[in-house]
Amino acid sequence: MLRRRIPSLISNAFRSAPVFTKPTSYTPTINSLHNPIHHQSVGVQGIRAYSLLSLNDLRDNKGATKQKTRKGRGIGSGKGKTAGRGHKGQKARGTHKFGFEGGQTPMRRRMPKRGFNNPFSLEFQPVGLGKIARLINAGKIDSSELITMKTLKDTGAIGKQIRDGVRLMGRGAEHIQWPIHLEVSRVTVRAKEAVEAAGGSVRKVYYNKLGFRALLKPEWFEKKGRLLPKAARPPPKQMDKVDSIGRLPAPTKPIPFPTDTSASPA
């Protein structure tokens, strides 16, 4: 009798069992998000909802990072065996020098040349009379003494890198109201006229590379235990562009220009 009733009891139990449906979406309320008790998680019907501020949910944007291609790690990766180099040939083996194009004339030889570099060109640092006048007014330069290229370098009138000398420019010539005496490598016509009009003088002197070092940094020779070199003569092409040979060490008194006293007898 009991055996006959078991199937019916089982079928009735399945029919009367409560049916639970999974919610399609769940949006936690504002109060539950800001509640410190429910800050970590909110559980409704067995579903765990994480907070929007969880550190374990931080991710890089899609495509922000890319893994390095691993070559020679099996044919399944697409970069195995020959590692994307193909079969045999020069490019499949060792490297070749930069610019090599397989034997044809490379680009650097196909392009024509433009211009040239003059090995005899000279580069002078410019300095204006206005800057020298400001330094004199500031008390950095003594106008009663000879102003040399070392004086200009020590006072900051020019930069530290003096390649071939200093060129005196006429910028600010109206500020020169007192006689000054200078020794530079080159001078413009306007600057020379302005200095001579104020009662001063400008002498163009020649120094070679070693002479410039002895003029600007005489302590270097003393540190090395060497004597100052003798002043070098200018090359023939620069003889007519300078007035005299530069003096070493740095002079403090100007050399007066020779006056033309030759006069025809009456």
Side-chain angles (χ1 to χ4, degrees):
M1 193 71 182
L2 181 61
R3 292 179 179 178
R4 295 178 180 178
R5 295 181 60 183
I6 289 176
S8 60
L9 293 174
I10 295 174
S11 61
N12 293 334
F14 277 107
R15 291 175 184 177
S16 62
V19 179
F20 295 95
T21 58
K22 184 178 180 181
T24 56
S25 63
Y26 169 72
T27 304
T29 61
I30 298 177
N31 295 331
S32 62
L33 288 176
H34 292 279
N35 192 349
I37 300 177
H38 300 87
H39 179 73
Q40 293 296 332
S41 62
V42 179
V44 176
Q45 295 184 359
I47 299 177
R48 186 182 179 93
Y50 291 93
S51 172
L52 299 177
L53 302 178
S54 298
L55 294 178
N56 59 339
D57 288 340
L58 295 178
R59 300 285 188 278
D60 286 331
N61 295 331
K62 187 176 181 180
T65 59
K66 184 178 179 181
Q67 291 185 352
K68 181 181 178 180
T69 303
R70 300 176 71 244
K71 298 181 180 180
R73 295 298 183 269
I75 60 176
S77 63
K79 295 293 182 180
K81 191 189 175 188
T82 56
R85 285 174 171 258
H87 290 279
K88 300 183 181 179
Q90 186 180 23
K91 295 183 179 180
R93 295 185 172 91
T95 58
H96 48 275
K97 67 178 182 179
F98 178 77
F100 183 69
E101 300 181 12
Q104 69 178 13
T105 305
M107 178 66 72
R108 66 179 185 276
R109 293 177 57 189
R110 292 200 301 267
M111 300 300 293
K113 294 182 180 180
R114 293 286 185 266
F116 70 102
N117 295 325
N118 186 7
F120 303 104
S121 63
L122 300 176
E123 182 179 347
F124 301 101
Q125 277 204 28
V127 59
L129 289 174
K131 182 179 290 187
I132 297 176
R134 288 195 299 269
L135 293 174
I136 293 175
N137 294 330
K140 295 183 178 180
I141 296 179
D142 188 2
S143 60
S144 62
E145 294 184 356
L146 177 64
I147 302 175
T148 62
M149 288 179 279
K150 178 175 174 56
T151 307
L152 299 176
K153 174 182 173 296
D154 295 340
T155 55
I158 56 177
K160 296 182 180 180
Q161 300 295 332
I162 302 177
R163 183 176 177 182
D164 296 312
V166 178
R167 185 190 299 273
L168 184 64
M169 310 295 289
R171 296 190 297 264
E174 63 276 3
H175 300 289
I176 300 297
Q177 305 294 336
W178 52 87
I180 57 175
H181 303 278
L182 301 100
E183 282 191 0
V184 291
S185 301
R186 298 291 189 272
V187 59
T188 60
V189 176
R190 179 187 174 189
K192 186 174 182 180
E193 292 177 353
V195 173
E196 291 178 350
S201 63
V202 181
R203 179 177 290 272
K204 296 179 291 183
V205 294
Y206 172 79
Y207 290 98
N208 59 358
K209 298 291 184 181
L210 187 62
F212 268 118
R213 175 176 290 188
L215 175 69
L216 303 176
K217 296 181 179 180
E219 64 276 3
W220 184 86
F221 292 86
E222 183 179 357
K223 181 180 178 181
K224 297 291 184 179
R226 302 180 183 178
L227 299 176
L228 290 178
K230 293 183 179 181
R233 293 183 178 182
K237 291 185 177 180
Q238 297 188 34
M239 290 291 293
D240 56 340
K241 297 180 180 180
V242 296
D243 297 323
S244 62
I245 302 173
R247 294 175 289 170
L248 293 174
T252 57
K253 299 297 181 181
I255 301 177
F257 285 94
T259 58
D260 189 7
T261 57
S262 60
S264 58

